[in-house]
Amino acid sequence: MEFTGKTVEEAVNAGLETLKIAKEDAIITTIEEPVKGLFGKIKTLARVEISKKLTDGERAVKFLEGVFDKLELEAKAVLVEEGEKIIINVITTNSATIIGYRGEILDSLQNLASAVANTGKRDYIRVVVDCENYRQKREETLIALAHKLEKKATEQGRNFSLEAMSSYERRVIHSALADSQTVTTMSEGKEPNRFVVIVPNEKKERKPYAKKGFGDKKYGAKPKKSGFSEEIRKKPSGFGTFLGNSLKD
């Protein structure tokens, strides 16, 4: 907003009072210095432009709103929390266009918002961008999956490898099984294909598959594939979902 006064200081003070903000929280731009005419009479008033400095979270929200406009998405970013971490919720009529497959679009928006919020900052602050509570639902799914594979690994006495995940999602798995009495977990591979392996404390010897006769239709049949079999899935997929910005495990 623009404000005027006989002096620049007077114009600034008028603007700060109107906006109800402190000088250190304002962005002040002098548009025009006052001009005096004959006998010291003010010919032209001083003009300044004053706006409130945006917080890190507000800058991230403003950036996301700009992205939505550019992509012509009917969505609105709302700052939910700003303190130890920044939480932004996206409200939209079509969540699929914001979340994407396994949260890929949401992760990209989150990474960009994090970069904006942390620009020029010495201490990193975590930024979470969510939509329709997707993050919590995904975390609950991962915890359930971790316990399911814990049981399988214990019963079968062999390792189970999960798909590639973000560092935060891997930590969800590690944390879910941290107190397990029958398995341990570890991360393998390199980013972005790093994944979690669930290892039973007691390994069981696996019996070799018996070869069948030529007349048998099952001759040479491969073992039944499991979506999380270590033998079948030696190389994890490239899919994973960020639940937040965290340090790598």
Side-chain angles (χ1 to χ4, degrees):
M1 294 179 65
E2 284 192 16
F3 300 91
T4 59
K6 293 180 180 179
T7 64
V8 170
E9 184 178 3
E10 183 179 292
V12 169
N13 290 335
L16 295 177
E17 185 177 349
T18 300
L19 297 175
K20 306 298 181 184
I21 58 176
K23 191 172 184 178
E24 57 269 23
D25 295 326
I27 300 175
I28 303 170
T29 304
T30 300
I31 300 174
E32 186 177 357
E33 295 278 355
V35 177
K36 293 182 179 181
L38 294 174
F39 310 109
K41 185 177 180 180
I42 299 297
K43 184 178 181 180
T44 305
L45 294 174
R47 293 170 56 223
V48 298
E49 184 177 75
I50 302 177
S51 61
K52 183 179 180 296
K53 288 181 180 178
L54 297 178
T55 64
D56 300 322
E58 288 171 340
R59 285 195 291 124
V61 166
K62 185 176 181 180
F63 172 81
L64 289 176
E65 294 280 356
V67 172
F68 298 153
D69 288 341
K70 289 290 185 182
L71 298 179
E72 297 183 349
L73 297 175
E74 293 184 4
K76 178 178 178 59
V78 178
L79 183 60
V80 177
E81 177 183 327
E82 183 168 15
E84 294 183 356
K85 64 180 177 180
I86 295 171
I87 299 179
I88 300 172
N89 186 46
V90 179
I91 301 173
T92 178
T93 55
N94 187 356
S95 60
T97 60
I98 298 298
I99 297 173
Y101 178 67
R102 294 194 179 182
E104 289 180 328
I105 297 177
L106 196 62
D107 288 342
S108 297
L109 293 172
Q110 180 170 279
N111 290 336
L112 292 171
S114 177
V116 171
N118 284 284
T119 298
K121 290 183 63 65
R122 178 176 298 179
D123 298 322
Y124 177 84
I125 184 169
R126 181 184 164 206
V127 178
V128 177
V129 177
D130 203 355
C131 180
E132 294 190 354
N133 207 27
Y134 173 82
R135 301 297 186 189
Q136 182 178 339
K137 293 174 183 177
R138 175 65 173 163
E139 186 170 335
E140 291 172 352
T141 298
L142 291 174
I143 292 173
L145 176 62
H147 289 301
K148 179 180 179 180
L149 295 184
E150 173 192 21
K151 182 178 179 181
K152 284 190 174 183
T154 302
E155 293 175 346
Q156 299 181 26
R158 64 188 182 91
N159 296 356
F160 277 84
S161 298
L162 284 77
E163 65 181 359
M165 296 178 180
S166 68
S167 59
Y168 186 87
E169 286 196 322
R170 294 196 300 271
R171 269 196 288 278
V172 171
I173 301 294
H174 292 313
S175 178
L177 300 181
D179 298 326
S180 175
Q181 301 298 311
T182 60
V183 301
T184 57
T185 61
M186 60 183 181
S187 292
E188 292 186 355
K190 296 182 179 180
E191 298 291 0
N193 296 318
R194 195 160 170 76
F195 58 99
V196 175
V197 180
I198 298 176
V199 183
N201 295 340
E202 294 185 9
K203 293 288 187 70
K204 296 179 182 180
E205 184 177 350
R206 302 185 67 186
K207 295 181 180 180
Y209 288 92
K211 292 185 178 181
K212 305 295 181 179
F214 284 102
D216 193 322
K217 292 183 179 180
K218 294 184 179 181
Y219 173 79
K222 295 181 180 180
K224 183 178 180 181
K225 294 184 179 180
S226 168
F228 299 95
S229 168
E230 185 180 44
E231 289 71 31
I232 300 301
R233 294 198 65 174
K234 289 184 178 179
K235 183 177 181 181
S237 70
F239 296 111
T241 305
F242 290 98
L243 286 169
N245 307 106
S246 312
L247 298 176
K248 299 177 181 177
D249 61 333

